[in-house]
Amino acid sequence: ISYDDSLFAVAERGADRFRVLLVRKGARPTAIECKEFAVQDTSSLQQWLERKLCDDLRVLLPASAVIVRSTSLPAASQTQMLTALALQAESFFLGSVPQHRLGLAVLNEGSGTERHGLIVAWPTGQPAPDVGQRLEAISTYLPEPAALLPLAAGDLPAVVADRRTGSIAIALRSAGGTVLRSAREDGVGDAWTEGLRRAIAETALNAGIEPARIAAVVAGAESAVETSGDRVVILESAERALLGPRINVAAGVAALAPPWWRTWAVLLGAAIASCGPLSELCRLRKHERGSEPTRLA
């Protein structure tokens, strides 16, 4: 098969199905098609990707599997800032996280003399969503917090959480900069809900929001909660206004009902992150390239 290098797919594994978005690369990427598959039916997902000539699958990695660190950098050339960020990552993890499981990015925001850097680490002991052995060969992994960054442009934090796995991903923009948070909450019932509130409050505090306003931020987030089974999502109501200027949507997809933007918002955010300055956060690998040959090799 002659694959199309301009295409990639982003996939989100839920409790019972994969949600997959096919995207054409570009400064402003284009969402070409969306489709859902049963989690047991990875062969149909593989065949669909082959028919679309796509051999680049990027799977959302739960926030509970990754560690996120943010840091300040003196403004310099992109290469110098990334080098400084790599040194900071080394000092954070002391070589315990291999390079293929580290993602680095420098955000454009900041003062004239300072920039914000992001480090995402996927420790070796943390598992990946199961996509089947054949799809794993073309899969890289995209942390949930990175997918939320394009959605964190309003007054509320962007949050994706899962009671089943305990995973909590939060992205929040404020006057003090952008804060990403990955957390795990193993409580059940009210204890888990209280843990989610606490994580949002701590993220708001880290973002430099005045303590007097933090209760209002948490209350606003609670009022925007949407649940689907064990999954909890908090997003701004104007997700189409946030995402529309940054991603094209093919006519056949755009004609779908307005709830489509809400349902697919996280994957649209993942597509945007994959094609911009955050792209290095979005290509984590389970194994180092070439380190584990196939059985045929």
Side-chain angles (χ1 to χ4, degrees), residues 61-67 101 121-129 184 286:
L61 196 60
S64 57
V66 300
I67 300 168
R101 285 175 171 250
W122 179 21
T124 305
Q126 294 295 333
R184 185 185 184 99
K286 188 173 183 179

Side-chain angles (χ1 to χ4, degrees), residues 80-145:
Q80 288 174 316
M81 289 190 289
L82 286 173
T83 301
L85 203 54
L87 291 172
Q88 293 199 33
E90 180 66 26
S91 69
F92 278 140
F93 302 111
L94 300 176
S96 62
V97 180
Q99 290 296 317
H100 59 277
R101 285 175 171 250
L102 276 176
L104 309 174
V106 177
L107 302 182
N108 293 327
E109 62 190 41
S111 65
T113 60
E114 190 177 83
R115 293 289 183 270
H116 297 299
L118 294 174
I119 302 168
V120 175
W122 179 21
T124 305
Q126 294 295 333
D130 182 18
V131 294
Q133 187 174 2
R134 297 182 70 178
L135 281 174
E136 193 174 287
I138 64 168
S139 296
T140 53
Y141 297 88
L142 191 159
E144 274 182 336

Side-chain angles (χ1 to χ4, degrees), residues 126-235:
Q126 294 295 333
D130 182 18
V131 294
Q133 187 174 2
R134 297 182 70 178
L135 281 174
E136 193 174 287
I138 64 168
S139 296
T140 53
Y141 297 88
L142 191 159
E144 274 182 336
L148 293 183
L149 266 176
L151 290 157
D155 296 327
L156 294 179
V159 181
V160 172
D162 191 328
R163 292 176 183 268
R164 181 172 52 90
T165 62
S167 175
I168 300 174
I170 305 174
L172 177 62
R173 293 185 191 268
S174 71
T178 299
V179 175
L180 280 187
R181 177 81 185 275
S182 62
R184 185 185 184 99
E185 177 56 56
D186 292 323
V188 295
D190 292 342
W192 188 89
T193 304
E194 183 57 37
L196 177 59
R197 287 195 199 100
R198 184 170 56 251
I200 293 172
E202 290 170 353
T203 304
L205 187 62
N206 292 338
I209 293 175
E210 300 87 349
R213 287 188 53 225
I214 289 177
V217 172
V218 174
E222 287 184 308
S223 68
V225 163
E226 296 180 12
T227 60
S228 176
D230 290 322
R231 182 177 169 83
V232 176
V233 177
I234 301 172
L235 296 175

Side-chain angles (χ1 to χ4, degrees), residues 230-250:
D230 290 322
R231 182 177 169 83
V232 176
V233 177
I234 301 172
L235 296 175
E236 287 282 345
S237 58
E239 71 283 339
R240 183 168 185 171
L242 287 174
L243 297 171
R246 303 180 65 183
I247 187 167
N248 298 310
V249 179

